[in-house]
Amino acid sequence: MQSELPRGWTLQRAGAFLSGSQIPGSTGLTAEKLTVKLYGRGVFAKQDRTPGSKNTKYFTRRKGQFIYSKLDFLNGAFGIVPPELDGRESTGDLPAFDIAQDVSPAWLLYYVSRPDFYERQGTSAIGSRKARRVSPMEFLQLELPTPPLAEQKKIAAILSSVDEAIQTTQAVIEQTRRVKEGLLQQLLVEGLRHGQTVKGPHGENPAVWDVVPLGVVSSLVTKGTTPPKGTMRRAGQVPYLRVGNLTFSGRLDLSDLLFIDRSIHEGVLKRSRAVPGDVLTNIVGPPLGQVALVDERFTEWNMNQAIAIFRSDKTRLMPEFLALFLQWSMAQWWLLNRAKQTSGQVNLTLELCRELPLPLPELAEQREIVEHVAAVDAVLQRSKLAARQLVAAKAGLLQVLLTGTVRVSP
């Protein structure tokens, strides 16, 4: 295996540059605890303030130390203790290690946080299937292809720059979402050219608008059906939508799409057929408010029982306007406060959906409102696409840089 390494790299056991740290701390009664999130998402102060046992031994952790979770090693629970958590404590279930000076902590974290690394370590884990742990002894025996320090730092710098770009893009997405919600609030409360407002079921709305139950301007409100067992496939004739295919932006997400045969679509599931122009929303949550306007990528669709289908009377209600209304926080609030809630689950009835009050401008104003929001939504979709591209680029860079397939100059 040594001969397969890139020139200048060495194969080192983790124990060659990591040394266990067991600085005595306090007990579970007084320890200020930290925790390690899954999939390399970092180290954070533990929010649970419930005192632990006085018999549980804790250890003090120092900034810059590498730390992981024995129980969640196979789920990528690794991190570097940040400066603001210096002095926080954990039990031996979250062991910490000092890192040798000839190894970059950032490079190390990037390397071990790859699923390609931690998912391969199942043979090192001990315990039952649901509680498999990787001990420090086993971890320190693992061999890592290690580039020279200067190259480690360069690799980490490149990957860090991509992470910063992802974070910046995510910040733009969150800000644009807030702008969209604010615009919806303004347009659905004030309209476009109306000065006078009146009190309505969702706060205020223009005095000249009608307010009607959704069932009055929706010719069909129904819900999906469960197909016979074993009939859903990854490829087929008719797309079968689940709640995960709906989004909070009114668009369909077909990244994880299932299909059913046309005979089932036109037979036992004929009541849950949908066509382009229908508006869908989930009636089982939380969360509620996932919405999608059915588009023309397929001529017919079907869906499960957790989704309601709205087919608007297009002479009075634009489907695009209805999709925006169902995304509006005030409409969701109205439904949520009347929904059946049992054991943490929220369920909307079809009758409740029909009763949902809809502030209804004329079609021309509906169209203008849709166009106003579409301009913001276009920015949101471009930012989401950029984020997906950056995540894909990072995945590719992780593979080629951390294996030496592509070398970088320090």
Side-chain angles (χ1 to χ4, degrees):
M1 190 170 186
Q2 180 71 35
S3 61
E4 299 174 2
L5 290 173
R7 182 176 298 176
W9 289 32
T10 58
L11 194 63
Q12 297 191 60
R13 296 186 188 277
F17 48 80
L18 293 177
S19 55
S21 173
Q22 291 191 320
I23 304 170
S26 54
T27 70
L29 292 176
T30 59
E32 291 288 326
K33 305 162 191 171
L34 53 73
T35 188
V36 185
K37 292 199 173 183
L38 306 183
Y39 313 118
R41 290 182 295 163
V43 183
F44 294 86
K46 195 167 186 179
Q47 299 303 317
D48 182 8
R49 298 288 181 178
T50 305
S53 169
K54 67 177 181 180
N55 297 320
T56 304
K57 192 175 183 180
Y58 278 76
F59 301 95
T60 301
R61 307 311 186 188
R62 293 302 183 196
K63 63 181 179 181
Q65 289 182 329
F66 176 82
I67 187 170
Y68 79 91
S69 167
K70 289 181 183 179
L71 181 60
D72 286 309
F73 185 102
L74 302 181
N75 292 314
F78 309 111
I80 302 294
V81 179
E84 63 270 21
L85 296 185
D86 185 51
R88 286 269 180 165
E89 301 177 48
S90 71
T91 67
D93 283 335
L94 272 64
F97 306 83
D98 293 316
I99 305 172
Q101 293 185 352
D102 60 349
V103 167
S104 161
W107 168 83
L108 173 62
L109 185 58
Y110 278 121
Y111 188 89
V112 300
S113 296
R114 293 179 306 140
D116 185 56
F117 168 76
Y118 59 76
E119 289 178 354
R120 286 189 289 110
Q121 311 309 325
T123 56
S124 300
I126 58 174
S128 66
R129 183 174 62 86
K130 293 184 178 180
R132 302 175 70 196
R133 290 172 166 80
V134 174
S135 71
M137 181 181 298
E138 295 292 338
F139 172 56
L140 294 176
Q141 292 299 311
L142 296 177
E143 294 181 324
L144 281 64
T146 308
L149 178 59
E151 192 170 352
Q152 292 176 34
K153 290 181 177 179
K154 183 66 174 180
I155 291 170
I158 293 171
L159 294 172
S160 179
S161 68
V162 179
D163 275 339
E164 289 174 6
I166 292 172
Q167 291 169 7
T168 299
T169 306
Q170 290 293 348
V172 171
I173 290 171
E174 291 306 313
Q175 179 61 28
T176 308
R177 280 176 176 156
R178 289 192 289 270
V179 169
K180 179 179 176 180
E181 175 60 26
L183 184 60
L184 275 176
Q185 179 71 17
Q186 178 184 348
L187 293 174
L188 295 178
V189 169
E190 301 175 10
L192 287 171
R193 290 173 293 276
H194 312 291
Q196 185 177 0
T197 62
V198 295
K199 187 171 179 58
H202 309 298
E204 299 285 324
N205 54 261
V208 298
W209 287 10
D210 291 331
V211 178
V212 299
L214 181 54
V216 171
V217 288
S218 179
S219 60
L220 172 66
V221 180
T222 187
K223 67 177 181 177
T225 313
T226 303
K229 187 175 181 180
T231 59
M232 291 185 292
R233 301 180 178 88
R234 289 293 173 186
Q237 299 167 332
V238 180
Y240 183 79
L241 300 173
R242 297 161 293 163
V243 173
N245 298 120
L246 312 186
T247 69
F248 292 100
S249 61
R251 296 170 179 262
L252 284 169
D253 178 359
L254 304 187
S255 59
D256 184 22
L257 183 61
L258 297 177
F259 292 83
I260 57 175
D261 291 339
R262 181 163 295 280
S263 59
I264 296 173
H265 171 68
E266 295 175 348
V268 293
L269 299 191
K270 63 182 179 181
R271 293 184 63 252
S272 54
R273 293 184 293 180
V275 297
D278 287 348
V279 179
L280 315 176
T281 190
N282 65 307
I283 55 175
V284 178
L288 297 176
Q290 291 171 255
V291 178
L293 175 64
V294 178
D295 56 42
E296 297 180 349
R297 281 175 279 186
F298 293 88
T299 56
E300 288 191 282
W301 307 68
N302 217 298
M303 62 220 57
N304 72 9
Q305 71 276 14
I307 299 174
I309 308 166
F310 296 73
R311 186 167 297 158
S312 63
D313 175 0
K314 294 183 178 64
T315 65
R316 299 187 64 188
L317 174 62
M318 289 180 62
E320 295 85 356
F321 183 82
L322 173 57
L324 288 181
F325 171 70
L326 291 173
Q327 293 172 59
W328 188 29
S329 59
M330 298 305 295
Q332 295 168 24
W333 180 88
W334 190 95
L335 289 168
L336 184 62
N337 278 273
R338 292 161 177 80
K340 296 179 180 178
Q341 302 191 36
T342 56
S343 302
Q345 189 175 65
V346 181
N347 293 275
L348 301 177
T349 65
L350 295 183
E351 188 58 38
L352 185 61
C353 292
R354 293 187 183 98
E355 293 171 359
L356 174 61
L358 170 69
L360 189 66
E362 296 291 332
L363 282 174
E365 188 170 0
Q366 291 181 37
R367 186 172 294 107
E368 288 188 71
I369 289 173
V370 167
E371 290 172 353
H372 275 68
V373 179
V376 176
D377 201 46
V379 175
L380 182 60
Q381 298 309 315
R382 286 196 297 271
S383 298
K384 287 182 176 180
L385 175 60
R388 290 194 295 270
Q389 291 172 336
L390 285 167
V391 169
K394 179 184 174 183
L397 286 170
L398 283 167
Q399 178 62 29
V400 298
L401 295 179
L402 293 171
T403 61
T405 304
V406 172
R407 302 294 297 274
V408 295
S409 301

